[in-house]
mmCIF file of all heavy atoms in Angstrom:
data_model
loop_
_atom_site.group_PDB
_atom_site.id
_atom_site.type_symbol
_atom_site.label_atom_id
_atom_site.label_comp_id
_atom_site.label_asym_id
_atom_site.label_seq_id
_atom_site.Cartn_x
_atom_site.Cartn_y
_atom_site.Cartn_z
ATOM 1 N N PHE A 573 172.539 60.375 -15.105
ATOM 2 C CA PHE A 573 171.531 59.601 -14.389
ATOM 3 C C PHE A 573 170.228 59.600 -15.146
ATOM 4 O O PHE A 573 169.470 58.644 -15.169
ATOM 5 C CB PHE A 573 171.301 60.212 -12.992
ATOM 6 C CG PHE A 573 170.151 59.632 -12.234
ATOM 7 C CD1 PHE A 573 170.287 58.322 -11.726
ATOM 8 C CD2 PHE A 573 169.018 60.344 -11.923
ATOM 9 C CE1 PHE A 573 169.244 57.784 -11.007
ATOM 10 C CE2 PHE A 573 168.000 59.789 -11.198
ATOM 11 C CZ PHE A 573 168.105 58.453 -10.731
ATOM 12 N N GLN A 574 170.022 60.682 -15.917
ATOM 13 C CA GLN A 574 168.797 60.843 -16.737
ATOM 14 C C GLN A 574 169.135 61.267 -18.127
ATOM 15 O O GLN A 574 170.212 61.879 -18.371
ATOM 16 C CB GLN A 574 167.850 61.879 -16.101
ATOM 17 C CG GLN A 574 167.328 61.449 -14.716
ATOM 18 C CD GLN A 574 166.967 62.667 -13.885
ATOM 19 O OE1 GLN A 574 167.811 63.506 -13.579
ATOM 20 N NE2 GLN A 574 165.681 62.750 -13.535
ATOM 21 N N GLU A 575 168.250 61.019 -19.070
ATOM 22 C CA GLU A 575 168.463 61.460 -20.441
ATOM 23 C C GLU A 575 167.552 62.647 -20.777
ATOM 24 O O GLU A 575 166.507 62.795 -20.144
ATOM 25 C CB GLU A 575 168.137 60.285 -21.416
ATOM 26 C CG GLU A 575 169.148 59.118 -21.318
ATOM 27 C CD GLU A 575 168.779 58.056 -22.379
ATOM 28 O OE1 GLU A 575 167.607 57.969 -22.776
ATOM 29 O OE2 GLU A 575 169.710 57.339 -22.742
ATOM 30 N N TRP A 576 168.009 63.425 -21.719
ATOM 31 C CA TRP A 576 167.205 64.559 -22.155
ATOM 32 C C TRP A 576 165.967 64.059 -22.888
ATOM 33 O O TRP A 576 166.032 63.152 -23.700
ATOM 34 C CB TRP A 576 168.027 65.474 -23.014
ATOM 35 C CG TRP A 576 167.302 66.763 -23.346
ATOM 36 C CD1 TRP A 576 166.386 66.939 -24.343
ATOM 37 C CD2 TRP A 576 167.338 67.991 -22.655
ATOM 38 N NE1 TRP A 576 165.881 68.205 -24.306
ATOM 39 C CE2 TRP A 576 166.454 68.922 -23.243
ATOM 40 C CE3 TRP A 576 168.045 68.419 -21.513
ATOM 41 C CZ2 TRP A 576 166.311 70.189 -22.819
ATOM 42 C CZ3 TRP A 576 167.856 69.697 -21.056
ATOM 43 C CH2 TRP A 576 167.013 70.542 -21.732
ATOM 44 N N THR A 577 164.821 64.665 -22.615
ATOM 45 C CA THR A 577 163.623 64.350 -23.376
ATOM 46 C C THR A 577 162.938 65.684 -23.697
ATOM 47 O O THR A 577 163.100 66.691 -23.007
ATOM 48 C CB THR A 577 162.699 63.480 -22.505
ATOM 49 O OG1 THR A 577 161.399 63.323 -23.181
ATOM 50 C CG2 THR A 577 162.408 64.081 -21.143
ATOM 51 N N GLY A 578 162.173 65.702 -24.785
ATOM 52 C CA GLY A 578 161.555 66.935 -25.250
ATOM 53 C C GLY A 578 160.658 67.562 -24.259
ATOM 54 O O GLY A 578 160.389 68.764 -24.290
ATOM 55 N N ASP A 579 160.083 66.764 -23.298
ATOM 56 C CA ASP A 579 159.198 67.271 -22.284
ATOM 57 C C ASP A 579 159.847 68.336 -21.424
ATOM 58 O O ASP A 579 159.222 69.223 -20.826
ATOM 59 C CB ASP A 579 158.649 66.142 -21.405
ATOM 60 C CG ASP A 579 157.542 65.349 -22.070
ATOM 61 O OD1 ASP A 579 156.749 65.957 -22.824
ATOM 62 O OD2 ASP A 579 157.423 64.153 -21.842
ATOM 63 N N LEU A 580 161.189 68.208 -21.309
ATOM 64 C CA LEU A 580 161.924 69.156 -20.477
ATOM 65 C C LEU A 580 161.854 70.581 -21.046
ATOM 66 O O LEU A 580 162.003 71.579 -20.319
ATOM 67 C CB LEU A 580 163.391 68.741 -20.314
ATOM 68 C CG LEU A 580 163.558 67.460 -19.509
ATOM 69 C CD1 LEU A 580 164.989 66.994 -19.642
ATOM 70 C CD2 LEU A 580 163.155 67.674 -18.079
ATOM 71 N N ASP A 581 161.585 70.733 -22.352
ATOM 72 C CA ASP A 581 161.444 72.046 -22.950
ATOM 73 C C ASP A 581 160.201 72.767 -22.444
ATOM 74 O O ASP A 581 160.071 73.967 -22.685
ATOM 75 C CB ASP A 581 161.411 71.975 -24.435
ATOM 76 C CG ASP A 581 162.771 71.606 -25.005
ATOM 77 O OD1 ASP A 581 163.796 71.956 -24.416
ATOM 78 O OD2 ASP A 581 162.817 70.828 -26.048
ATOM 79 N N ARG A 582 159.252 72.052 -21.818
ATOM 80 C CA ARG A 582 158.061 72.700 -21.258
ATOM 81 C C ARG A 582 158.332 73.562 -20.061
ATOM 82 O O ARG A 582 157.479 74.344 -19.664
ATOM 83 C CB ARG A 582 157.037 71.644 -21.001
ATOM 84 C CG ARG A 582 156.643 70.745 -22.188
ATOM 85 C CD ARG A 582 155.703 69.670 -21.792
ATOM 86 N NE ARG A 582 154.379 70.142 -21.324
ATOM 87 C CZ ARG A 582 153.401 69.317 -20.994
ATOM 88 N NH1 ARG A 582 153.591 68.003 -21.074
ATOM 89 N NH2 ARG A 582 152.283 69.788 -20.588
ATOM 90 N N PHE A 583 159.475 73.330 -19.399
ATOM 91 C CA PHE A 583 159.790 74.103 -18.192
ATOM 92 C C PHE A 583 160.493 75.365 -18.572
ATOM 93 O O PHE A 583 161.546 75.325 -19.151
ATOM 94 C CB PHE A 583 160.670 73.264 -17.275
ATOM 95 C CG PHE A 583 160.041 72.013 -16.732
ATOM 96 C CD1 PHE A 583 160.239 70.779 -17.342
ATOM 97 C CD2 PHE A 583 159.168 72.073 -15.643
ATOM 98 C CE1 PHE A 583 159.641 69.638 -16.872
ATOM 99 C CE2 PHE A 583 158.532 70.960 -15.181
ATOM 100 C CZ PHE A 583 158.746 69.727 -15.769
ATOM 101 N N PRO A 584 159.915 76.523 -18.167
ATOM 102 C CA PRO A 584 160.598 77.789 -18.463
ATOM 103 C C PRO A 584 161.885 77.982 -17.718
ATOM 104 O O PRO A 584 162.701 78.822 -18.032
ATOM 105 C CB PRO A 584 159.558 78.862 -18.068
ATOM 106 C CG PRO A 584 158.610 78.147 -17.161
ATOM 107 C CD PRO A 584 158.588 76.737 -17.533
ATOM 108 N N PHE A 585 162.084 77.175 -16.614
ATOM 109 C CA PHE A 585 163.350 77.203 -15.932
ATOM 110 C C PHE A 585 163.773 75.733 -15.636
ATOM 111 O O PHE A 585 163.002 75.011 -14.977
ATOM 112 C CB PHE A 585 163.250 77.942 -14.571
ATOM 113 C CG PHE A 585 164.586 78.081 -13.829
ATOM 114 C CD1 PHE A 585 165.401 79.174 -14.048
ATOM 115 C CD2 PHE A 585 165.002 77.049 -13.027
ATOM 116 C CE1 PHE A 585 166.608 79.261 -13.409
ATOM 117 C CE2 PHE A 585 166.197 77.143 -12.371
ATOM 118 C CZ PHE A 585 167.031 78.286 -12.560
ATOM 119 N N LEU A 586 164.949 75.380 -16.091
ATOM 120 C CA LEU A 586 165.437 74.010 -15.900
ATOM 121 C C LEU A 586 166.835 74.052 -15.314
ATOM 122 O O LEU A 586 167.724 74.690 -15.873
ATOM 123 C CB LEU A 586 165.455 73.225 -17.236
ATOM 124 C CG LEU A 586 165.994 71.822 -17.203
ATOM 125 C CD1 LEU A 586 165.037 70.894 -16.425
ATOM 126 C CD2 LEU A 586 166.176 71.277 -18.613
ATOM 127 N N LEU A 587 167.013 73.435 -14.175
ATOM 128 C CA LEU A 587 168.354 73.294 -13.556
ATOM 129 C C LEU A 587 168.967 71.989 -13.932
ATOM 130 O O LEU A 587 168.363 70.963 -13.827
ATOM 131 C CB LEU A 587 168.221 73.429 -12.042
ATOM 132 C CG LEU A 587 169.503 73.366 -11.256
ATOM 133 C CD1 LEU A 587 170.378 74.652 -11.493
ATOM 134 C CD2 LEU A 587 169.312 73.162 -9.755
ATOM 135 N N ILE A 588 170.251 72.060 -14.393
ATOM 136 C CA ILE A 588 170.964 70.844 -14.846
ATOM 137 C C ILE A 588 172.226 70.664 -14.022
ATOM 138 O O ILE A 588 173.033 71.637 -13.914
ATOM 139 C CB ILE A 588 171.305 70.945 -16.334
ATOM 140 C CG1 ILE A 588 170.008 71.224 -17.206
ATOM 141 C CG2 ILE A 588 172.029 69.730 -16.846
ATOM 142 C CD1 ILE A 588 170.273 71.875 -18.512
ATOM 143 N N LEU A 589 172.410 69.512 -13.437
ATOM 144 C CA LEU A 589 173.581 69.190 -12.704
ATOM 145 C C LEU A 589 174.455 68.266 -13.583
ATOM 146 O O LEU A 589 173.977 67.251 -14.102
ATOM 147 C CB LEU A 589 173.264 68.544 -11.431
ATOM 148 C CG LEU A 589 174.517 68.044 -10.562
ATOM 149 C CD1 LEU A 589 175.375 69.231 -10.091
ATOM 150 C CD2 LEU A 589 174.027 67.199 -9.362
ATOM 151 N N LYS A 590 175.695 68.612 -13.778
ATOM 152 C CA LYS A 590 176.608 67.783 -14.651
ATOM 153 C C LYS A 590 177.864 67.507 -13.810
ATOM 154 O O LYS A 590 178.460 68.377 -13.227
ATOM 155 C CB LYS A 590 176.930 68.540 -15.890
ATOM 156 C CG LYS A 590 177.853 67.715 -16.850
ATOM 157 C CD LYS A 590 178.075 68.431 -18.131
ATOM 158 C CE LYS A 590 178.949 67.586 -19.091
ATOM 159 N NZ LYS A 590 179.155 68.247 -20.405
ATOM 160 N N ARG A 591 178.249 66.250 -13.817
ATOM 161 C CA ARG A 591 179.482 65.843 -13.168
ATOM 162 C C ARG A 591 180.575 65.598 -14.206
ATOM 163 O O ARG A 591 180.353 64.942 -15.204
ATOM 164 C CB ARG A 591 179.261 64.610 -12.299
ATOM 165 C CG ARG A 591 180.449 64.174 -11.529
ATOM 166 C CD ARG A 591 180.165 62.944 -10.661
ATOM 167 N NE ARG A 591 181.302 62.540 -9.859
ATOM 168 C CZ ARG A 591 181.338 61.573 -9.017
ATOM 169 N NH1 ARG A 591 180.247 60.874 -8.785
ATOM 170 N NH2 ARG A 591 182.433 61.277 -8.322
ATOM 171 N N ASN A 592 181.778 66.165 -13.892
ATOM 172 C CA ASN A 592 182.957 65.930 -14.734
ATOM 173 C C ASN A 592 184.052 65.441 -13.778
ATOM 174 O O ASN A 592 184.791 66.296 -13.253
ATOM 175 C CB ASN A 592 183.342 67.198 -15.474
ATOM 176 C CG ASN A 592 184.491 66.980 -16.415
ATOM 177 O OD1 ASN A 592 184.857 65.838 -16.728
ATOM 178 N ND2 ASN A 592 185.085 68.064 -16.899
ATOM 179 N N GLY A 593 184.211 64.122 -13.646
ATOM 180 C CA GLY A 593 185.186 63.646 -12.683
ATOM 181 C C GLY A 593 184.770 63.986 -11.269
ATOM 182 O O GLY A 593 183.717 63.552 -10.825
ATOM 183 N N GLU A 594 185.616 64.711 -10.564
ATOM 184 C CA GLU A 594 185.297 65.189 -9.201
ATOM 185 C C GLU A 594 184.685 66.557 -9.151
ATOM 186 O O GLU A 594 184.448 67.103 -8.057
ATOM 187 C CB GLU A 594 186.560 65.106 -8.333
ATOM 188 C CG GLU A 594 187.145 63.681 -8.171
ATOM 189 C CD GLU A 594 186.141 62.732 -7.483
ATOM 190 O OE1 GLU A 594 185.675 63.029 -6.326
ATOM 191 O OE2 GLU A 594 185.794 61.681 -8.152
ATOM 192 N N GLN A 595 184.400 67.138 -10.311
ATOM 193 C CA GLN A 595 183.878 68.492 -10.358
ATOM 194 C C GLN A 595 182.383 68.481 -10.744
ATOM 195 O O GLN A 595 181.942 67.557 -11.487
ATOM 196 C CB GLN A 595 184.666 69.360 -11.387
ATOM 197 C CG GLN A 595 186.115 69.542 -10.994
ATOM 198 C CD GLN A 595 186.265 70.260 -9.690
ATOM 199 O OE1 GLN A 595 185.621 71.285 -9.461
ATOM 200 N NE2 GLN A 595 187.128 69.710 -8.808
ATOM 201 N N PHE A 596 181.669 69.454 -10.331
ATOM 202 C CA PHE A 596 180.238 69.548 -10.634
ATOM 203 C C PHE A 596 179.978 70.956 -11.168
ATOM 204 O O PHE A 596 180.428 71.966 -10.713
ATOM 205 C CB PHE A 596 179.400 69.322 -9.393
ATOM 206 C CG PHE A 596 179.443 67.948 -8.888
ATOM 207 C CD1 PHE A 596 180.389 67.589 -7.952
ATOM 208 C CD2 PHE A 596 178.503 66.949 -9.374
ATOM 209 C CE1 PHE A 596 180.445 66.256 -7.499
ATOM 210 C CE2 PHE A 596 178.582 65.654 -8.921
ATOM 211 C CZ PHE A 596 179.535 65.328 -7.967
ATOM 212 N N ILE A 597 179.118 70.944 -12.241
ATOM 213 C CA ILE A 597 178.679 72.229 -12.854
ATOM 214 C C ILE A 597 177.183 72.371 -12.740
ATOM 215 O O ILE A 597 176.489 71.351 -13.100
ATOM 216 C CB ILE A 597 179.158 72.318 -14.323
ATOM 217 C CG1 ILE A 597 180.692 72.354 -14.384
ATOM 218 C CG2 ILE A 597 178.593 73.561 -14.948
ATOM 219 C CD1 ILE A 597 181.270 72.218 -15.789
ATOM 220 N N LEU A 598 176.668 73.469 -12.367
ATOM 221 C CA LEU A 598 175.239 73.786 -12.339
ATOM 222 C C LEU A 598 174.951 74.658 -13.608
ATOM 223 O O LEU A 598 175.621 75.632 -13.789
ATOM 224 C CB LEU A 598 174.850 74.493 -11.144
ATOM 225 C CG LEU A 598 174.829 73.713 -9.782
ATOM 226 C CD1 LEU A 598 174.663 74.685 -8.593
ATOM 227 C CD2 LEU A 598 173.742 72.664 -9.813
ATOM 228 N N ARG A 599 173.988 74.263 -14.367
ATOM 229 C CA ARG A 599 173.601 75.076 -15.546
ATOM 230 C C ARG A 599 172.134 75.291 -15.501
ATOM 231 O O ARG A 599 171.358 74.394 -15.269
ATOM 232 C CB ARG A 599 174.001 74.288 -16.839
ATOM 233 C CG ARG A 599 173.827 75.200 -18.054
ATOM 234 C CD ARG A 599 174.484 74.571 -19.305
ATOM 235 N NE ARG A 599 173.657 73.483 -19.846
ATOM 236 C CZ ARG A 599 173.994 72.239 -19.815
ATOM 237 N NH1 ARG A 599 175.116 71.881 -19.228
ATOM 238 N NH2 ARG A 599 173.254 71.285 -20.404
ATOM 239 N N ALA A 600 171.782 76.552 -15.777
ATOM 240 C CA ALA A 600 170.337 76.864 -15.840
ATOM 241 C C ALA A 600 169.954 77.153 -17.319
ATOM 242 O O ALA A 600 170.650 78.006 -17.971
ATOM 243 C CB ALA A 600 170.063 78.124 -15.000
ATOM 244 N N ALA A 601 168.936 76.517 -17.757
ATOM 245 C CA ALA A 601 168.361 76.797 -19.105
ATOM 246 C C ALA A 601 167.010 77.434 -18.876
ATOM 247 O O ALA A 601 166.139 76.823 -18.260
ATOM 248 C CB ALA A 601 168.251 75.491 -19.930
ATOM 249 N N PHE A 602 166.869 78.650 -19.312
ATOM 250 C CA PHE A 602 165.667 79.409 -18.922
ATOM 251 C C PHE A 602 165.152 80.294 -20.052
ATOM 252 O O PHE A 602 165.855 80.582 -20.994
ATOM 253 C CB PHE A 602 166.001 80.254 -17.680
ATOM 254 C CG PHE A 602 167.013 81.313 -17.886
ATOM 255 C CD1 PHE A 602 166.720 82.615 -18.190
ATOM 256 C CD2 PHE A 602 168.359 80.931 -17.786
ATOM 257 C CE1 PHE A 602 167.725 83.573 -18.373
ATOM 258 C CE2 PHE A 602 169.385 81.869 -17.974
ATOM 259 C CZ PHE A 602 169.064 83.236 -18.270
#
């Protein structure tokens, strides 16, 4: 739905939702 941009590196905690078919993965980059 959105593209990665360098501004996202400014957040010390970033939650990422990824869909793979009918499955969903939550990833935290911190």
Side-chain angles (χ1 to χ4, degrees):
F573 174 68
Q574 296 155 298
E575 291 183 336
W576 187 276
T577 173
D579 282 326
L580 293 171
D581 290 328
R582 299 174 67 178
F583 296 98
F585 184 94
L586 179 68
L587 181 69
I588 303 158
L589 176 66
K590 183 176 182 180
R591 182 176 182 179
N592 184 14
E594 297 298 302
Q595 297 300 312
F596 291 91
I597 297 172
L598 289 169
R599 188 168 77 251
F602 61 98

